[in-house]
Amino acid sequence: MLQSLGISSDAEAAYLVLAQRGPATAEGLAETSTTYDALGRETVATAGTELGSYAQTTRTGYDIGGRVTSLDDEFTCTTTTYDYRGLATQVIEGKVSGSPCTGSGSRTLNQTYDALGRMTSRVVAATGDTLEASSFDGAGRADPTAGG
């Protein structure tokens, strides 16, 4: 059934088991484990099934201001850098998974803001492609003549 989509027979078997059982129940179909740091922030969350090999762990890192600086879901890792105002100035996606996140990533986004903290641009660093650009008039409204 799912093999036509390129899904292995093991994954198909797990899918069929889950489909037959319906939603997760307290009897242990879905197991979740969460670890928190001293400030009560979630740092490690593992969710899976009784078929242990299908569990997934997500790790979250924070800076001293409590902002998420890294998010690793075992497939890829994203890191975020903030300025003194707490605004995300750089997001690097597609880093190698692991603790800590490593590598240069597959895409770096540089974000700029105006004096009021409104995002004015989001640019792909490697290509210079602008994904988002905004400007505002004197009343603080988005300026439609500037393409924002």
Side-chain angles (χ1 to χ4, degrees):
M1 176 168 104
L2 296 177
Q3 288 177 342
S4 63
L5 299 173
I7 298 174
S8 72
S9 60
D10 289 341
E12 182 176 1
Y15 174 80
L16 292 174
V17 167
L18 293 173
Q20 290 171 356
R21 293 194 181 191
T25 64
E27 286 80 45
L29 175 61
E31 299 173 19
T32 302
S33 169
T34 307
T35 304
Y36 299 91
D37 65 10
L39 298 176
R41 301 174 300 197
E42 183 178 291
T43 57
V44 179
T46 302
T49 68
E50 61 189 9
L51 306 171
S53 62
Y54 295 104
Q56 180 179 357
T57 299
T58 301
R59 299 180 194 296
T60 307
Y62 302 89
D63 66 9
I64 196 163
R67 296 173 294 258
V68 174
T69 56
S70 64
L71 186 62
D72 182 351
D73 66 3
E74 293 187 320
F75 297 104
T76 187
C77 187
T78 299
T79 59
T80 305
T81 305
Y82 300 89
D83 68 6
Y84 67 95
R85 300 175 291 178
L87 302 171
T89 56
Q90 186 176 70
V91 178
I92 303 175
E93 301 171 331
K95 286 187 162 188
V96 176
S97 181
S99 186
C101 299
T102 59
S104 60
S106 59
R107 181 168 88 157
T108 299
L109 301 175
N110 292 319
Q111 301 173 159
T112 57
Y113 302 86
D114 66 12
L116 297 177
R118 299 175 294 200
M119 184 182 296
T120 55
S121 70
R122 180 178 295 162
V123 177
V124 178
T127 63
D129 292 340
T130 300
L131 302 179
E132 185 176 339
S134 301
S135 63
F136 303 89
D137 65 16
R141 298 176 296 228
D143 185 355
T145 62

